[in-house]
Amino acid sequence: MSRQDGEGVTPRAALDLFLGDPGQPARPRKPAVGAVADLCLLHVPLGEALDALSADVVRAAYVGGKAITP
């Protein structure tokens, strides 16, 4: 979210870039039935997770449809 040169973005803006299409990060992807998903389930509401910026708020995470958390 921040860089050594002082530039940075908000936690929400950083998240939005991860949610975008890989070729066009500013364009949001749309879920589709049957598509393999990356998913992060939280213990808390999104706003609280963005304020905390801690892995402790993650309940489970999936990449390519496979669990990457115990």
Side-chain angles (χ1 to χ4, degrees):
M1 294 181 333
S2 61
R3 299 179 354 178
Q4 288 180 334
D5 63 7
E7 290 186 21
V9 295
T10 65
R12 181 62 206 216
L15 175 63
D16 286 345
L17 291 172
F18 279 102
L19 298 176
D21 182 273
Q24 295 178 312
R27 191 177 100 208
R29 288 183 272 184
K30 295 188 180 189
V33 174
V36 177
D38 296 341
L39 177 68
C40 180
L41 301 175
L42 304 171
H43 288 287
V44 299
L46 179 58
E48 190 176 327
L50 291 172
D51 288 340
L53 294 179
S54 169
D56 294 336
V57 301
V58 176
R59 180 179 301 260
Y62 299 83
V63 174
K66 296 182 181 182
I68 62 167
T69 52

